[in-house]
Amino acid sequence: QNSFQLRAMLRTSTIFGRLSRLTLVGIAALFLTTSVFAQSGGFKGKIRNQSGKGIPNAEIEARQDGKVIKIARANNKGDFVLNGLRSGKYNLSFDADGYSTGVLFNVEVGDKMRELGERLMLAPDQGNIVFIRGSVFFKEGSSVTGAKIDLLLVNADGSTKRLESAYTDIRGDFAFRRPPGAASYRVTAKLKDVTGSKDIVVDNAAIYRTAITLDMSRNDR
């Protein structure tokens, strides 16, 4: 009889052991499923520069309480998807070479993908940009408004390639932004049929200033 009771107790213990393992497995599966569903939200959008072009390979970080939760990278058109986030509020930072960091604070996400749109714009990092700034004057020294300014790249063989154009503002000033690196530029100012130019040699990222005086009088406009 004692032997029978012992076998019964062992069988009962085995059954409860199996049930306990099954229960633990079920609980683990439940937590896993809950975790998967809790991390189904995220953000997507497009990062642009001030000219409206997509910035390739920009890095996007989602942070909570100062900790980086997840990182994503934009494609070559500036489009990005950052998913797998739990519901809540995040600080989003956007970084790209040659640009200042952009930040969005307390952006909320639920259990779906949130569209941030195409208005995420980064400004150039002035520490990594060549600024060419200048002024145009009449021969008596007054400022020239509305003069056309062409920026040309001067090649090693002396040939030139036009890069971009602008017009002087009401103060006779103009400005161009170029990527860092050694280069030779020619700035040409034109009003009516009168032109003037200056060459600028660039060594690295900095502000380069120039002034161009046109051989014409203000009264000749």
Side-chain angles (χ1 to χ4, degrees):
Q1 185 178 0
N2 290 339
S3 177
F4 175 78
Q5 290 177 343
L6 179 61
R7 287 197 298 272
M9 290 175 61
L10 288 174
R11 189 178 299 110
T12 302
S13 176
T14 302
I15 292 172
F16 274 107
R18 289 175 181 174
L19 288 175
S20 297
R21 287 195 294 272
L22 288 173
T23 302
L24 289 174
V25 170
I27 292 173
L30 177 61
F31 276 114
L32 180 61
T33 303
T34 304
S35 177
V36 170
F37 279 105
Q39 296 188 20
S40 60
F43 304 95
K44 65 179 179 178
K46 188 181 188 74
I47 304 175
R48 298 175 180 268
N49 59 25
Q50 292 179 326
S51 299
K53 296 181 179 179
I55 300 176
N57 301 318
E59 186 176 88
I60 304 92
E61 287 186 353
R63 294 172 176 263
Q64 276 185 331
D65 300 323
K67 297 179 180 179
V68 177
I69 305 300
K70 195 155 189 181
I71 299 175
R73 190 170 291 277
N75 62 17
N76 58 3
K77 295 182 180 180
D79 299 307
F80 72 90
V81 174
L82 195 157
N83 54 18
L85 296 176
R86 296 178 183 273
S87 299
K89 292 183 178 181
Y90 295 84
N91 293 336
L92 303 178
S93 65
F94 307 89
D95 285 289
D97 292 340
Y99 294 88
S100 298
T101 300
V103 180
L104 293 177
F105 294 99
N106 294 321
V107 186
E108 190 167 6
V109 65
D111 58 357
K112 296 181 180 179
M113 189 66 61
R114 178 169 178 177
E115 176 64 63
L116 297 179
E118 300 184 355
R119 298 182 180 180
L120 300 170
M121 290 191 179
L122 299 184
D125 183 352
Q126 296 190 10
N128 293 311
I129 295 292
V130 170
F131 283 91
I132 299 175
R133 294 179 175 173
S135 302
V136 181
F137 301 99
F138 291 110
K139 59 184 180 182
E140 57 264 88
S142 56
S143 300
V144 179
T145 301
K148 184 181 180 182
I149 311 298
D150 288 324
L151 180 66
L152 298 91
L153 177 67
V154 181
N155 299 313
D157 60 1
S159 62
T160 60
K161 177 184 178 182
R162 189 171 69 85
L163 299 175
E164 52 184 314
S165 299
Y167 288 88
T168 54
D169 61 20
I170 195 171
R171 296 171 299 181
D173 298 333
F174 63 87
F176 294 104
R177 293 183 177 92
R178 300 302 303 168
S184 294
Y185 297 103
R186 180 168 297 156
V187 181
T188 300
K190 182 177 182 180
L191 184 66
K192 293 186 175 180
D193 294 328
V194 180
T195 62
S197 64
K198 286 288 183 67
D199 286 357
I200 301 174
V201 177
V202 169
D203 296 320
N204 48 42
I207 298 175
Y208 298 82
R209 300 183 182 275
T210 189
I212 300 174
T213 300
L214 297 180
D215 188 19
M216 69 182 298
S217 174
R218 182 174 184 175
N219 297 327
D220 296 334
R221 276 194 78 126

